[in-house]
Amino acid sequence: MSDHPRFSIIAPVFNEEGNLPELYRRIKETMDATGEPWELVLVNDGSRDRSAEIMHELHAADARVKIIEFAKNFGHQLAVTAGLDYARGDAVVIIDADLQDPPSLILDMIEKWKEGFEVVYAVRAQRKGETWFKEFTAKLFYRIIYRITDIDIPLDTGDFRLIDRRAVDTLTTMRERNRFIRGMTSWIGFRQTGVEYVREERFAGETHYPFRKMFKFALDAITGFSYLPLQFAMYAGFAIAGLSAVAALAVIYARLFLASQAFFGQATTLVAVLFLGGIQLITLGIIGEYLGRIYDEVKHRPLYVVREARGFDEG
Ligand code: UDP
Ligand code: MG
């Protein structure tokens, strides 16, 4: 068909019934202003509220709204992945469904894209209505990731970004299971730039990222892009071996020349054993984090399961 979309907007949806109509309204307003054909790809990540119904209503009213329905909740990053797999636009924009990412910023991104940038990410200049805890952990997270990973992931950016078709085609070949999409888009290279924005409060509903999920997400990011935790055992080993060599000399000296009663007690032995036991368990745990992810890869399951996809076959 001739109306091959120039732009695809992908929004992952998990229990966003209160946001979908407004999201559609604002995307439509913004994208119609470009005067080019566009599509909105809504990925229903196993919502348990009325999101699916509303998505079907939007699709029935406007064929530019396309739907991917997951068989269950697979998580935000996999919903975005499915969107990237199905989207057909020359430029693809990933946006949250809760309107924390202002759709109007897409126009600025498109401008940069037309200047020749293949990835335009949105940088959070300010966050509104977020608890100090979320803000603090998010800031800390981005800075830790930045320091310990091998790639330059821009600070304070989420998944809200525009990606050129060429970069999307590269991204969709990367089928790793534990995904950190903003890291993956940095890794592929291409010409990248950022535009600043103020992150709004959620339009409706609550965050689906409790601390537990954020922690798993942080681990995915770190294990996906850094070997530093694995090297921890070696560094700890050198440090402890060095210290014990010094300690051994000190003990010999004390016993020979000071005739002291130092280092006779059980407590000393116990503390040393427990300390080393602790270090060993931590190291095992770190190896476990990587091993579990390797096991996930080896199983080769599909990344997500689609129950139904609507609106993609006309083209
Ligand atoms: N989301 C999803 N699956 C999930 C959790 C979240 O598709 O399991 C979507 C959610 O609907 C929203 C986006 O991912 O569009 C970001 O989630 P949220 O707003 O809860 O995260 P926060 O902005 O608080 O970090
Ligand atoms: Mg949000």
Side-chain angles (χ1 to χ4, degrees):
M1 242 160 74
S2 57
D3 68 336
H4 174 84
R6 183 132 162 93
F7 301 113
S8 300
I9 317 295
I10 302 172
V13 175
F14 179 58
N15 297 342
E16 303 284 9
E17 57 182 3
N19 292 314
L20 284 173
E22 179 66 9
L23 175 75
Y24 167 72
R25 198 187 64 72
R26 289 184 46 191
I27 293 280
K28 180 169 145 57
E29 187 180 283
T30 306
M31 297 315 292
D32 280 348
T34 64
E36 312 233 35
W38 54 272
E39 64 178 1
L40 172 62
V41 179
L42 296 174
V43 187
N44 181 10
D45 186 16
S47 298
R48 287 180 280 270
D49 63 356
R50 289 193 61 246
S51 295
E53 255 176 277
I54 297 169
M55 284 163 63
H56 279 90
E57 281 165 27
L58 290 172
H59 169 68
D62 184 344
R64 292 174 298 184
V65 180
K66 324 237 164 127
I67 304 175
I68 301 167
E69 189 99 50
F70 276 3
K72 61 155 204 182
N73 178 259
F74 280 93
H76 175 202
Q77 297 288 298
L78 289 170
V80 171
T81 304
L84 290 171
D85 291 343
Y86 279 77
R88 293 175 309 163
D90 300 331
V92 176
V93 177
I94 303 169
I95 193 168
D96 279 358
D98 57 4
L99 293 162
Q100 281 195 288
D101 306 331
S104 54
L105 195 74
I106 295 173
L107 296 178
D108 298 348
M109 294 178 169
I110 290 174
E111 213 151 279
K112 293 275 181 201
W113 177 63
K114 289 192 168 154
E115 284 171 24
F117 289 102
E118 284 133 333
V119 176
V120 186
Y121 48 83
V123 185
R124 297 161 181 172
Q126 196 195 324
R127 284 168 171 255
K128 276 195 201 160
E130 222 117 47
T131 61
W132 69 265
F133 182 72
K134 171 113 188 180
E135 184 150 356
F136 174 75
T137 48
K139 283 239 154 163
L140 186 72
F141 167 69
Y142 289 115
R143 272 145 195 86
I144 290 176
I145 297 292
Y146 187 79
R147 295 225 104 197
I148 76 169
T149 56
D150 311 324
I151 46 164
D152 284 343
I153 300 169
L155 287 172
D156 301 316
T157 63
D159 287 329
F160 186 25
R161 57 188 60 212
L162 177 148
I163 310 173
D164 179 77
R165 171 52 47 196
R166 266 166 293 185
V168 172
D169 287 344
T170 310
L171 270 180
T172 49
T173 62
M174 295 159 68
R175 305 313 285 177
E176 60 214 68
R177 299 200 53 82
N178 297 286
R179 302 170 83 79
F180 180 55
I181 289 173
R182 54 203 85 159
M184 292 163 64
T185 33
S186 295
W187 182 87
I188 58 174
F190 287 102
R191 283 185 293 265
Q192 309 213 356
T193 189
V195 287
E196 285 204 343
Y197 77 112
V198 176
R199 190 153 165 88
E200 298 290 336
E201 281 179 50
R202 252 178 174 275
F203 184 73
E206 284 173 13
T207 175
H208 307 301
Y209 266 97
F211 184 72
R212 179 179 51 80
K213 266 201 206 169
M214 294 221 319
F215 191 68
K216 156 92 169 62
F217 188 57
L219 282 182
D220 282 345
I222 293 168
T223 54
F225 291 94
S226 172
Y227 296 135
L228 199 72
L230 283 175
Q231 291 158 347
F232 162 81
M234 191 172 58
Y235 297 137
F238 277 125
I240 294 169
L243 282 176
S244 25
V246 174
L249 290 178
V251 170
I252 291 170
Y253 179 82
R255 286 300 261 315
L256 288 182
F257 300 108
L258 302 181
S260 85
Q261 294 291 302
F263 311 114
F264 275 108
Q266 256 185 16
T268 328
T269 323
L270 233 130
V271 168
V273 167
L274 288 180
F275 174 70
L276 260 188
I279 297 270
Q280 283 168 343
L281 285 178
I282 291 169
T283 314
L284 264 182
I286 292 173
I287 297 174
E289 287 293 334
Y290 284 87
L291 187 69
R293 284 169 173 79
I294 296 172
Y295 185 45
D296 277 345
E297 297 293 345
V298 171
K299 280 189 282 195
H300 262 298
R301 293 194 187 151
L303 289 180
Y304 53 82
V305 181
V306 173
R307 175 193 288 135
E308 186 188 9
R310 276 223 188 162
F312 295 97
D313 32 40
E314 300 85 272

Coordinates of all heavy atoms in Angstrom, one line a residue, residues 96 98 100 199 202, ligand 2:
D96 N 6.8 6.1 26.4 CA 6.0 5.5 27.5 C 4.6 5.9 27.3 O 4.2 7.0 26.8 CB 6.5 6.0 28.8 CG 7.7 5.3 29.3 OD1 8.2 4.4 28.6 OD2 8.2 5.6 30.4
D98 N 2.4 6.4 29.5 CA 1.8 7.1 30.7 C 1.9 8.6 30.5 O 1.7 9.4 31.5 CB 2.4 6.7 32.0 CG 3.9 6.8 32.0 OD1 4.5 7.4 31.0 OD2 4.5 6.4 33.0
Q100 N 4.5 10.4 30.5 CA 5.6 11.1 31.2 C 6.6 11.6 30.2 O 7.3 12.6 30.5 CB 6.4 10.0 32.1 CG 5.6 9.8 33.4 CD 6.5 9.1 34.4 OE1 6.8 7.9 34.2 NE2 7.0 9.8 35.4
R199 N 10.7 15.7 32.4 CA 9.9 14.5 32.5 C 8.7 14.9 33.4 O 8.8 15.3 34.5 CB 10.7 13.4 33.2 CG 10.0 12.1 33.1 CD 11.0 11.0 33.1 NE 10.4 9.7 33.4 CZ 9.9 8.8 32.5 NH1 9.9 9.2 31.3 NH2 9.5 7.7 32.9
R202 N 3.2 11.2 35.8 CA 2.2 10.3 35.1 C 0.9 11.0 34.9 O 0.4 11.6 35.9 CB 2.0 9.1 36.0 CG 2.6 7.9 35.5 CD 2.4 6.7 36.5 NE 3.0 5.5 35.8 CZ 2.3 4.8 34.9 NH1 1.0 5.1 34.7 NH2 2.9 3.8 34.4
Ligands
MG2 MG 6.2 6.1 33.8

